[in-house]
Amino acid sequence: MIPSLFDEPNADQLARLAAEASTCTACPLADTRTNVVFGEGNPDAPLVFVGEGPGAQEDATGRPFVGRAGKLLDECLLENGMTRKHVYICNVVKCRACIIEGSSVQNRAPRPAEISACSPWLERQLAILRPIVIVCLGGPSASTLIHSGFRMLQERGKWFETSPFAPYIMAALHPAYILRQAGPAYTAARSSLVQDIASARLKVIEARKSPPKTLF
Ligand code: SF4
């Protein structure tokens, strides 16, 4: 979306919100995080990806999707002629969810209460970004932003026009899930992510050609 002349630039609004979030202690994930992973990318991007939450490398660096899953996402973007400069990437929860047993630290899925506690940050972030298209990466993101109980196998790649944050929203497979597949299943899953990103890119192009929906 193009900001009006009277809007503060998205980049400034996002930087202020990120600074505010960096000291958040609204849920127990604050106790074990190294960094709040707020999100990054083009602050005026029409296409926003929302994943589940940071992993070890994201927690260590404070940047989203920087591990193997991030590399795969970068590859799939590049196959669609895009880089991170063209999109914005963030997560449903901003701090790493993990299980600590002695010296072992393992990722775990964020709990519903943690997702709920973090949702104001995501909502404020998306309200600033006002993208044309949101792509939820993985079931937890889709269940948070599209509808509860989202069934990834049946509903992946389908467009929804129900989000208060973007005219169009869909879900794609999370790159970390794709990396857990092997052989033909890996090839098919990776190909589905490339196709879903292509579909999202096309949706942005089509939406920009259409006149905006207004009441009058
Ligand atoms: S996960 Fe979200 S709500 Fe919980 S401490 Fe981190 S920023 Fe705050």
Side-chain angles (χ1 to χ4, degrees), residues 21 24-27 29-30 33 36 93-95 114 117-118 121:
C24 177
T25 55
C27 86
L29 298 185
R33 74 170 179 237
V36 171
V93 295
K94 311 300 186 196
C95 302
E114 293 158 351
C118 210
W121 295 120

